[in-house]
Amino acid sequence: MLHRPVHRAAAAAISVSAVVAAALGVIAPSASAATSTPKVKQLCATPAKPHQMACLALARTDVVQPHAFSLNAVSPMATPSGYGPSDLLSAYNLPANGGAGATVAIVDANDDPNAESDLATYRSQYGLPSCTTANGCFKKVDQNGGTNYPTADSGWAGEISLDLDMVSAIAPNAHIILVEAASANMSDLGTAVNRAVAMGAKYVSNSYGGSEDSTDLSADSSYFNHPGVAITVSAGDSAYGAEYPAASQYVTSVGGTSLSRASNSRGWTESVWKTSSTEGTGSGCSAYDPKPSWQTDSGCSKRTIADVSAVADPATGVAVYDSYQASGWQVYGGTSASAPIIAGVYAVAGTPGSSDYPSKYPYQHTSSLNDVASGNNGSCSPSYLCTAGTG
């Protein structure tokens, strides 16, 4: 039963934490630390036509990694810039050995030829269990479940590295399936989502988005209506405004925060991620998708975005290893980071009920939630769609 409205847009969305059993619990503090504006680049081009998606990863271009990594990809003598697994587990109060028995799928477009080897580097650097094809932990397939991989793309390869590394950080004992769609068109990405579910994944992360349009309801029923599966989708990186498929009534839409260390009881503080009027977490009111029954806010008659949030600000970004047409250790942000983090949290929480839409879980466990209560990602009416606030 929903005791009070949990959703207050991505701007006031909830941050993640550990839970027990199969319910998703989240936690967030009430203040943010000031950070300088980072220099970033988008990894993927802005969609050029309807039904085309872009990955939502932002790469820092102003970070110099420790010298040790110019000599070796893995070094016991140095720590990569950006938050690593121990930071994220501390910030979100998660166990260090989560995800056992779970299979998390990552859906992205195009091929990352170095996906498995880059994943091995990340996990080795941070002392995480090996996750390879050989030991049965990792599997890479095309959208049809085979090995006819699509064309390689450096931008999407960076996105793939980010997704694989975040799931590894949050749920290090989970198995991972990477499903590579033939293109960034919604039809191919949606086919890849269906493939992931058919292969047994109960948690499917999608770090991409595009403009809403009138065909979204058809895409909902074709690709995202999977009871018993936690499907997470990035809410967007362009500040206030709704995107699809984050607007789908069947998914958990994931916004972004700025995450900084603090001298409080948690040791961390979080606020709405907003770098500028055009860069920050997405949020808003869908123009097409109906409101799920577990959303009760009165200022949006259709689907409200987002449901939960995690770190996405490049200024407080995460460490990622990407060597495909890239230099290795990177600091990445964007809601492409927060979506796989939340997918990992669902995997730590436990298997969803077979008839459940897991996006309802945060709304049903409000006693486990605290709001991100500071910041905004733009101007809007009603104000709660873009401005954080208690409750």
Side-chain angles (χ1 to χ4, degrees), residues 3-311:
H3 300 288
R4 61 184 171 86
V6 172
H7 177 75
R8 288 295 181 267
I14 0 172
S15 184
V16 316
S17 183
V19 295
V20 294
L24 177 67
V26 292
I27 186 168
S30 59
S32 79
T35 56
S36 59
T37 302
K39 295 180 180 179
V40 302
K41 65 176 181 180
Q42 292 180 318
L43 290 188
C44 296
T46 301
K49 57 183 180 180
H51 313 142
Q52 191 175 60
M53 303 289 127
C55 74
L56 295 168
L58 299 174
R60 291 281 296 269
T61 60
D62 56 354
V63 173
V64 178
Q65 295 289 346
H67 177 68
F69 295 118
S70 66
L71 305 175
N72 297 287
V74 176
S75 174
M77 306 301 293
T79 301
S81 298
Y83 292 140
S86 63
D87 301 308
L88 297 172
L89 297 180
S90 168
Y92 298 121
N93 192 29
L94 293 163
N97 60 349
T103 296
V104 182
I106 300 297
V107 171
D108 282 310
N110 301 314
D111 180 39
D112 177 3
N114 299 354
E116 184 170 359
S117 60
D118 284 355
L119 176 63
T121 297
Y122 180 89
R123 295 176 74 106
S124 177
Q125 174 64 35
Y126 290 110
L128 304 179
S130 175
C131 189
T132 66
T133 302
N135 69 15
C137 174
F138 177 75
K139 180 176 288 187
K140 184 174 93 168
V141 298
D142 61 34
Q143 69 185 47
N144 299 312
T147 57
N148 185 24
Y149 303 125
T151 303
D153 180 89
S154 60
W156 281 94
E159 173 65 58
I160 289 169
S161 292
L162 171 60
D163 294 342
L164 294 175
D165 292 355
M166 290 307 95
V167 170
S168 297
I170 300 300
N173 287 321
H175 286 196
I176 302 175
I177 301 173
L178 170 61
V179 187
E180 296 183 334
S183 77
N185 292 329
M186 187 66 256
S187 57
D188 285 328
L189 287 161
T191 298
V193 171
N194 289 342
R195 177 60 53 187
V197 176
M199 294 179 70
K202 297 297 183 184
Y203 320 91
V204 183
S205 178
N206 303 268
S207 291
Y208 54 83
S211 300
E212 289 191 286
D213 67 51
S214 59
T215 67
D216 291 347
L217 296 183
S218 175
D220 272 2
S221 59
S222 296
Y223 309 128
F224 296 108
N225 187 4
H226 292 289
V229 180
I231 301 176
T232 64
V233 180
S234 303
D237 296 347
S238 301
Y240 179 69
E243 291 191 4
Y244 190 83
S248 171
Q249 61 190 302
Y250 299 121
V251 311
T252 299
S253 59
V254 185
T257 65
S258 300
L259 173 71
S260 300
R261 295 186 183 276
S263 56
N264 54 22
S265 59
R266 179 189 176 191
W268 299 85
T269 186
E270 247 168 327
S271 67
V272 178
W273 165 42
K274 180 188 177 185
T275 303
S276 69
S277 61
T278 57
E279 183 183 305
T281 182
S283 73
C285 180
S286 173
Y288 302 101
D289 250 86
K291 182 178 289 297
S293 61
W294 49 88
Q295 282 193 336
T296 60
D297 59 304
S298 60
C300 170
S301 62
K302 295 189 182 296
R303 207 287 195 226
T304 310
I305 305 165
D307 300 305
V308 294
S309 288
V311 60

Side-chain angles (χ1 to χ4, degrees), residues 318-339:
V318 297
V320 172
Y321 189 80
D322 171 28
S323 69
Y324 181 68
Q325 298 183 11
S327 59
W329 288 105
Q330 314 284 335
V331 175
Y332 284 166
T335 52
S336 276
S338 53

